[in-house]
Amino acid sequence: MPLDDPDLTGRRVLVTGGGDGLGRQMTEAFVDAGATVVICGRREEPLARTAEELADRGTVIPVRADVTEPADVDALVAAAGEIDVLVNNAGLAHRAPWPQARSEDWRWIMTLNVESPFWLFQRFVPGMIERGWGRVINVASVYGLVGGDASRYPGLDLDIASYFASKHAVIGLTRFLAAQVGASGVTVNALCPGMFPSPANDDALRPEVIAALEQGTPMRRLGTDRELRSAVLFLAAPASSFVTGHSLVVDGGWTVW
């Protein structure tokens, strides 16, 4: 089976934050691989648009849900049904100079980026264990592995301390959970993208920023949706059955310097 084109026919996938940005790219990949894809997010419009635009390619089920709210999580679980592949993609960064960072903002980022993946793991993975097969993919970042280099963002601040801390935590949580369910047929891995253009960062990707990012990457370019697609599909595929607790870095060499 080609690793960049796995057959997920009959599988049911949940992508949080699946209506736009990198989540939308992942949703398209799973639809094209034959899966039924449930997507959730706080805003109805991008969810509905994605479901409509992909309707001729497969089945996308939009569910408006804020994964930081327990009641919304309950509703999402009821609407999603049995999930074979859980992609914890929803996440944000809060920008503030570290001396002025407020605890309420810090806690909200940690709830969204770290706690909500754990809540969803609690709700969906027991069913995977019963069925003897499942995939959990926690979307981390290269910034779950390194401390960041502000010189790669000329004219911008890299004041996102809670984001860095949360993505390091996601990788630690991934390793812990992988060990807990290792003998069950369920794998748990982290996906760590480098810089991939998406509507969420269009405003920041000015020409001088793109140039600095490319200069800071050994491959001297940004990633493409095809390269992200291949990575997430590999982690979801039957072919990755002996890969667990791993952080798959897709960054053009960003983290080797």
Side-chain angles (χ1 to χ4, degrees):
M1 177 172 53
L3 297 185
D4 64 347
D5 191 22
D7 182 6
L8 294 176
T9 302
R11 299 297 185 185
R12 197 170 177 93
V13 179
L14 171 60
V15 181
T16 67
D20 56 9
L22 300 187
R24 165 65 185 257
Q25 296 178 25
M26 296 177 195
T27 297
E28 292 189 26
F30 286 120
V31 167
D32 290 342
T36 294
V37 186
V38 181
I39 57 175
C40 74
R42 294 179 297 162
R43 295 173 294 126
E44 291 184 3
E45 191 275 330
L47 298 173
R49 183 177 64 249
T50 294
E52 180 180 356
E53 291 176 353
L54 298 180
D56 62 342
R57 291 159 61 177
T59 301
V60 177
I61 302 170
V63 180
R64 199 219 68 80
D66 181 344
V67 292
T68 69
E69 294 292 339
D72 281 16
V73 171
D74 289 340
L76 174 61
V77 170
E82 292 185 347
I83 293 298
D84 301 298
V85 180
L86 169 61
V87 183
N88 285 309
N89 167 70
L92 288 173
H94 176 76
R95 192 174 299 280
W98 64 263
Q100 283 82 50
R102 303 183 304 171
S103 61
E104 55 265 37
D105 297 325
W106 183 281
R107 287 196 299 270
W108 186 76
I109 292 297
M110 290 297 177
T111 299
L112 175 60
N113 292 1
V114 185
E115 286 188 47
S116 68
F118 181 63
W119 294 346
L120 295 175
F121 187 95
Q122 288 179 316
R123 303 300 294 272
F124 288 111
V125 170
M128 297 180 190
I129 293 172
E130 289 180 5
R131 297 187 296 275
W133 195 95
R135 300 286 186 266
V136 179
I137 302 169
N138 295 323
V139 179
S141 167
V142 289
Y143 287 147
L145 299 165
V146 297
D149 181 357
S151 69
R152 301 187 189 189
Y153 301 90
L156 300 174
D157 293 322
L158 203 57
D159 291 323
I160 49 175
S162 57
Y163 181 82
F164 276 80
S166 70
K167 293 305 183 180
H168 277 74
V170 165
I171 291 174
L173 180 65
T174 297
R175 291 170 176 167
F176 172 80
L177 294 175
Q180 295 298 304
V181 301
S184 70
V186 178
T187 66
V188 188
N189 292 289
L191 179 64
C192 300
M195 180 53 69
F196 285 81
S198 77
N201 54 34
D202 279 349
D203 291 342
L205 291 180
R206 301 190 299 267
E208 63 273 23
V209 174
I210 292 176
L213 292 171
E214 291 175 342
Q215 185 63 29
T217 303
M219 286 190 175
R220 296 293 193 263
R221 63 177 177 85
L222 308 185
T224 68
D225 59 350
R226 179 66 181 177
E227 290 161 334
L228 182 70
R229 169 193 180 108
S230 296
V232 74
L233 287 179
F234 167 70
L235 292 178
S240 64
S241 56
F242 203 53
V243 179
T244 197
H246 179 65
S247 297
L248 179 58
V249 182
V250 188
D251 68 351
W254 179 291
T255 52
V256 301
W257 280 350

